[in-house]
Amino acid sequence: MRVIDSHTEGEPTRVILSGGPDLGAGSVSDRAARLARDHAAFRDSVVREPRGSDALVAALLVPPSVPGCAAGVIYFNTVGNLGMCGHATIGTAVTLAHLGRIKPGIHKLETPVGVVTVDLHSGNEASITNIESYRLHKDVTVAVEGLGAVTGDIAWGGNWFFISRDLPCALEQANIDRLLDATRRIRRALEDQGWTGAGGAWIDHVVLLGPSRAADARNFVLCPSGSYDRSPCGTGTSALLACLTEDGQLEPGAGWVQESIIGSTYRLHYLAGEGGQIVPVIRGRAWVTAESDLHFSPGDPYATGIRG
Ligand code: PYC
């Protein structure tokens, strides 16, 4: 299986160029559903240890069904599929540029949650025009074991997020273990207390938001795998922009610089969406780190990944 690895502002992406399963016909959304339902062993073999890690997001390239799209992309991690993924889309754009498949300029990608636009600025930098993002619930308070009451908003930016400014400690790299523990507890409390995204969807990401010396805000983002986002999280910051806009704290055209827990940044602004919501635009950088063939040797007891 031919793959290209990259990182976007610190967060890894593995683009799968060949060797994926036959997902049949239909939209990228239909094929993503088949990947989720029928191909767990394939997904695990690519993203779980020993080939991958909990931080890794894979981007499976598939033929697009929407005319004019440069590619279709299905995202998944060690837990399952992601609807959209900001960092992996920037990583995919830079990978496609590395392969000479796209040049600087505007391109469209079909994702499971809709068509996104990539403006490739150079070989290492792109802006992604995301899907429409919105807040579902404001000021939800959950009782969290060991932390007490935690209040935040539930919002959509291509994945479901709980976004809170109630911090258990400073958003510093030295506190990552404490932040992981706190955000896992918050996610469990949301589940136990019946909070979901639209249609009963699992709120699989938790964002803690705090002050930054270099940007408008700094965040810590818990991902579905139980790991944290090294990048500022494109879909999470899209969801945050929706909340800020609904609170009257961000005007159309105004910029927002989001810093991650490791100090990397995205620059964002938003456009008006046709459905009445905001359409975030996320600008970030990515670098190719490896071009590899994954091997699946007969007799390897962990050929389809280590299951915890
Ligand atoms: O950038 O949207 C993102 C993302 C989601 C999970 C990890 N990164």
Side-chain angles (χ1 to χ4, degrees), residues 171-178 261:
L171 298 185
E172 302 291 348
Q173 253 179 296
N175 290 335
I176 281 175
D177 286 347
R178 285 178 68 189
I261 191 68

Side-chain angles (χ1 to χ4, degrees), residues 232-234 237-238 241 250 253-258 266-270 280-283:
C233 194
T237 309
S238 295
L241 254 57
L250 200 64
W256 182 266
V257 182
Q258 182 64 55
Y266 285 153
R267 294 182 175 277
L268 296 98
H269 65 276
Y270 69 87
V281 182
I282 311 150
R283 183 171 182 143

Side-chain angles (χ1 to χ4, degrees), residues 8 11-12 55 57 77 82 84-90 130 157-159 161 205 221-224 228-238 266 282:
T8 304
E11 183 76 347
V57 173
N77 58 21
L82 286 168
M84 228 303 273
C85 183
H87 93 264
T89 307
I90 295 171
N130 197 0
N159 296 296
F161 292 85
H205 295 74
V221 183
L222 176 71
C223 293
Y228 67 95
D229 199 334
R230 280 72 171 159
S231 79
C233 194
T235 52
T237 309
S238 295
Y266 285 153
I282 311 150

Side-chain angles (χ1 to χ4, degrees), residues 133-136 241-250 277-278:
S133 302
Y134 65 97
R135 177 163 63 192
L136 184 64
L241 254 57
C243 299
L244 293 169
T245 307
E246 287 184 33
D247 288 335
Q249 292 175 14
L250 200 64
Q277 316 287 357
I278 68 154

Side-chain angles (χ1 to χ4, degrees), residues 21-256:
D22 180 0
L23 298 173
S27 66
V28 167
S29 172
D30 292 339
R31 282 174 278 161
R34 277 178 221 130
L35 181 75
R37 192 189 59 209
D38 302 332
H39 298 286
F42 160 75
R43 288 188 278 107
D44 290 350
S45 70
V46 176
V47 288
R48 285 187 183 234
E49 293 182 21
R51 293 185 195 82
S53 77
D54 275 340
L56 182 63
V57 173
L60 173 63
L61 294 183
V62 294
S65 72
V66 177
C69 285
V73 194
I74 303 173
Y75 309 97
F76 59 92
N77 58 21
T78 54
V79 172
N81 284 17
L82 286 168
M84 228 303 273
C85 183
H87 93 264
T89 307
I90 295 171
T92 300
V94 163
T95 296
L96 292 173
H98 174 79
L99 290 168
R101 293 194 190 172
I102 61 173
K103 297 210 171 328
I106 307 285
H107 309 276
K108 290 194 182 301
L109 297 176
E110 183 183 355
T111 79
V113 294
V115 172
V116 299
T117 303
V118 172
D119 186 355
L120 183 71
H121 304 298
S122 70
N124 294 106
E125 189 163 18
S127 293
I128 308 297
T129 303
N130 197 0
I131 55 158
E132 290 199 33
S133 302
Y134 65 97
R135 177 163 63 192
L136 184 64
H137 298 296
K138 179 177 165 67
D139 288 342
V140 168
T141 299
V142 281
V144 182
E145 191 193 338
L147 298 178
V150 175
T151 299
D153 293 353
I154 295 173
W156 168 256
N159 296 296
W160 283 104
F161 292 85
F162 180 76
I163 304 172
S164 176
R165 294 177 190 262
D166 291 347
L167 303 182
C169 56
L171 298 185
E172 302 291 348
Q173 253 179 296
N175 290 335
I176 281 175
D177 286 347
R178 285 178 68 189
L179 293 162
L180 277 171
D181 180 60
T183 47
R184 288 173 183 157
R185 285 169 191 260
I186 293 169
R187 188 167 66 187
R188 209 170 310 126
L190 289 161
E191 290 161 10
D192 291 347
Q193 291 160 48
W195 289 102
T196 67
W202 181 35
I203 301 167
D204 52 2
H205 295 74
V206 175
V207 179
L208 295 177
L209 196 72
S212 162
R213 280 185 288 274
D216 290 298
R218 185 176 175 93
N219 68 17
F220 176 86
V221 183
L222 176 71
C223 293
S225 61
S227 179
Y228 67 95
D229 199 334
R230 280 72 171 159
S231 79
C233 194
T235 52
T237 309
S238 295
L240 170 68
L241 254 57
C243 299
L244 293 169
T245 307
E246 287 184 33
D247 288 335
Q249 292 175 14
L250 200 64
E251 297 298 322
W256 182 266

